[in-house]
Amino acid sequence: QVDLVESGGGSVQAGGSLTLSCVASKFLYGMGWFRQAPGEEREGVAAMDSRDTTVYADSVKGRFTISRDSSKTTLALQMNNLRPNDTGMYYCVADRFFSALWAGKGDYWGRGIQVTVSS
């Protein structure tokens, strides 16, 4: 069992910035962020493997940056130039297999943290 604990969400005006953090109870190869807006399907935002390979959703490229610390157990998501359609519940996810994680089938999920962007 791996526990994932998210922090750093909140409310911000459009154009603002937030940083999300996720601490894992142990190392896993892949870690990432998904989000879900009300009435919408969950979607991948960004993910990173332990070799620092990254993947981003097209909608956040150039605005969001994902990173992991040297222990590879803490994941961060720096979100800049936030837009109202970035609003949603953000979930940290981890899995031994990066492909499964990015497909939304990761084994371990955090409880989620709310991000609200107002216009």
Side-chain angles (χ1 to χ4, degrees):
Q1 179 65 30
V2 178
D3 295 320
L4 303 174
V5 179
E6 303 107 333
S7 62
S11 298
V12 65
Q13 289 190 327
S17 298
L18 284 173
T19 301
L20 303 183
S21 181
C22 172
V23 179
S25 58
K26 72 176 190 180
F27 168 82
L28 282 173
Y29 182 70
M31 293 184 73
W33 295 95
F34 276 66
R35 68 185 180 189
Q36 188 167 22
E40 301 289 332
E41 292 189 359
R42 188 174 58 192
E43 64 173 353
V45 177
M48 189 172 192
D49 67 18
S50 63
R51 295 177 294 180
D52 296 339
T53 300
T54 59
V55 60
Y56 292 91
D58 287 343
S59 60
V60 306
K61 285 180 181 177
R63 300 187 297 122
F64 291 12
T65 303
I66 193 169
S67 61
R68 293 175 76 167
D69 71 344
S70 58
S71 72
K72 306 298 183 182
T73 58
T74 298
L75 183 73
L77 185 68
Q78 175 67 43
M79 306 185 293
N80 297 326
N81 192 20
L82 283 160
R83 304 167 179 168
N85 60 6
D86 292 318
T87 294
M89 188 70 77
Y90 283 67
Y91 297 91
C92 180
V93 57
D95 197 278
R96 293 174 297 163
F97 301 105
F98 192 72
S99 57
L101 182 155
W102 192 237
K105 299 178 180 179
D107 281 342
Y108 305 102
W109 293 79
R111 291 186 175 184
I113 193 163
Q114 180 68 35
V115 171
T116 303
V117 185
S118 58
S119 57

